[in-house]
Amino acid sequence: MPRLTAVNRLLRELVARPSINPTFLPGQPELTGEERVAEFLAETARSAGIEVRRQAVLPGRKNLIARISPSGKVRERIMLTPHMDVVPAPGSAFRPKIRNGRMYGRGTCDTKGSVSAFFSAFLDLARKGPLPRETEILFVGLVDEEFGQAGSRRLAEKGPVGDLAVAGEPTGLKVVSSHKGNLWLRLKTQGKSAHGSTPQHGRNAIAAMGPVLDFLFDEYPKILARKSHPLLGSPTLSVGKIIGGTQPNVVPDECTIDLDRRTIPGESEASVKKEMVKALKAKGIASPSFCLSRSVPCLPLDTDPDLPLVRSFLRAAGKRKPTGVPYFTDASPIATGGTPALVFGPGNIAQAHSDDEWVELEQVERAHAIVSRFLGSLS
Ligand SMILES: [Zn+2]
């Protein structure tokens, strides 16, 4: 077997440090929390003479901010911002295995491949130079991407703000400038309960939900198809959960459904609700009550592909144009905080969160080369 390159040796070290998002797995400190990964990166950075600080986000969970200063005055700031948490997996998934040019293990693809590629390029720059004259480079390891994006939201709120951020996700080395936003809506129909033997004395809330579901499955997709974004296509809706009633002999007085509505730039929570109410009304369907079942906004990302730094990143990646993806990332909260953001990294999203997660070693090496090329192109 050929010897691993430095970037893949670092990846193996990172995967071997479990960092499951603790929200998914409370009470298992030996597998959860970003601290093992963050401290390992912090130590490695410090030993290369890089300044490191931590940003408190949640109890025991802190973003890592490492900084390389330019040789002259700071006029521009680039932030490499991959996340350090992973989704749950058994302990054995944190013993990385290498087979057929791939590394297997939890986080190889989502997104320690990106952490390793970004951090290696960052470290190389500090060790070997040449340092940019006017651009400050930050490596920001974020916590909590997989649950509530508390790390990127804190960064957006407290700073620092930069001229470009690159969030790490397995984009297969494509440069992503747009992604959809995400709204979780709950719709509720109200009825009147009665004994199951005398249903005529009640109003069945499940029956009232019937036409709403017909509308959502048959009519609403046509309304969504009329809207489109050049990189993202049309918004989508998925009905993910339904609850109604308590037992067979009681006429249900309440039925709720939970919706996952993926938005495109220009859409908001308010505009989506208005659109649904209007369309339901036009169909003569008694409007169910709405509420948002997740209160944090997950807005779409729509970074201007013509920004000079975006052009430079595309050039470094050997791409002419950026791409859009349907999934939500840390890039959106970061962009909301005032830093234009891209998404980029090795691996395929199809392997993210899967039981059999892997990344191609060669893609991690290429991601490292691309980020190095980009950092080398800064003034
Ligand atoms: Zn991820």
Side-chain angles (χ1 to χ4, degrees), residues 8 15 46-47 50 91 117-118 144 160-161 177 292 309-310 316 323 363:
N8 281 317
V15 175
R46 283 189 202 108
S47 65
I50 297 170
F118 294 10
D144 194 45
V161 173
S177 62
L292 198 68
L309 283 169
V310 173
T323 315
Q363 263 203 27

Side-chain angles (χ1 to χ4, degrees), residues 83 85 110-111 145-146 168-170 353:
H83 65 87
D85 59 322
D110 187 7
T111 212
E145 190 276 342
E146 297 290 0
E169 289 295 340
H353 304 194

